Amino acid sequence: VLEDGAGVLDEQRRVREDVLEGLVVLGRQDGLVLVRHEHVTGAAEEVRAFLDHVGTALDRLDDARLDLERRVLRTEARGRPRTLNGLHLDHRFGPNGLGLLESEELGLRWLGAGDLQSWIGTWFTAGNAALAVVGPDPRGLRLHLPPGPRPTRAPAPPELIDQPTWSAVPGSVVAISTTAPRSARWTVTTELLTQVAEHRLRQVDGRSYSVVDLSLPVDAARTYTYVGADCLAEEADRVQEALSAELTRLRTRGPTADEVEAAIASLRRAMADDRAAMGAAYAAADALLLGRDVLPPGQVLAEVAAVGPDDVASALDEAHRRILWTVPFTSPISDRRYAHLPLWSTHRVEGTEYRPGAD
């Protein structure tokens, strides 16, 4: 199955749940996951058959189906809405790295069998794949990929947001995003910030129904985090003010010891949940491809438990330098310490015009 200009294999098969619980196969090119996780549950022989099928499908593509699959995926793309998180990624990275996650899949219009096979031969190799299994000893499993080194990758794109910034957007969601070093203290900080925002905006003020957060790896050293709160249009000003006040408190005075303990307890429960196995496998495979050490669960828990209020305050204060706010058009931010997007070019821009969505 082909999806996007580079090609993303996304085939999930569910089989009997009795032995193996989780499997992740990943490939990467320039910081983007190119083989989305293949989640398989079942007996060892069923998982082995699935892996054989994946290897065979990559080695012997059905060229006759290429045009049909491109049309199907273009139809799917038409119904996929653009998210506010996607806009944050676009503002922060431009059409590079994570900024491409919600870009139009241009290759669906022209990619041919030769282009696709060449691309597979470069990126879907044994040196550019990782296999993580949750279950019995996996050494009998094999993913048959052609030999090849891990290809050279472009470095992660520089961030376009290098100072506190805001932008007005359609809708009724107040959201922030930033980047930070990947660490246990940022994991705790993200959980704590989400808990504090949800408590303030839903339980205390009653102005939001849900507060959502999302984190994505930028590279081996950095992570991207998004937090958004929904609201009524007429409440957006107050939601932004309340979230800003909590951020200022946390990064200047620090959270309370109880807030830190609540965040750590939540993370501890999540890691102990049986349903966390798939996430652990995904994180392990991702770490291998990014060149990071795969830490045992006990060490992860120990590092999380060691985070204190001062760690959270310093992490938020450092990340605030790259914060991006998006607010509804009806609720602009008047604080002059924040830059306003869009930032217009100071020189004439020349090139070929392309209209997204035009056939």
Side-chain angles (χ1 to χ4, degrees), residues 1-4 6-10 33-36 73 119 124:
V1 179
L2 174 70
E3 178 185 318
D4 91 4
V8 177
L9 180 70
D10 183 18
V33 176
L34 297 177
V35 185
R36 289 206 295 244
L73 291 169
W119 183 88
F124 283 90

Side-chain angles (χ1 to χ4, degrees), residues 19-26 38-44 47-48 50-51 130-143 276-286 288 294:
V19 181
L20 293 176
E21 298 176 354
L23 166 70
V24 173
V25 185
L26 292 176
E38 308 286 340
H39 183 189
V40 182
T41 59
V47 175
R48 187 176 296 110
F50 173 78
L51 293 179
L131 180 65
V133 176
V134 179
D137 190 331
R139 281 176 289 185
L141 297 177
R142 294 289 183 272
L143 179 59
M278 190 61 210
Y282 187 94
D286 199 44
L288 288 169
V294 179

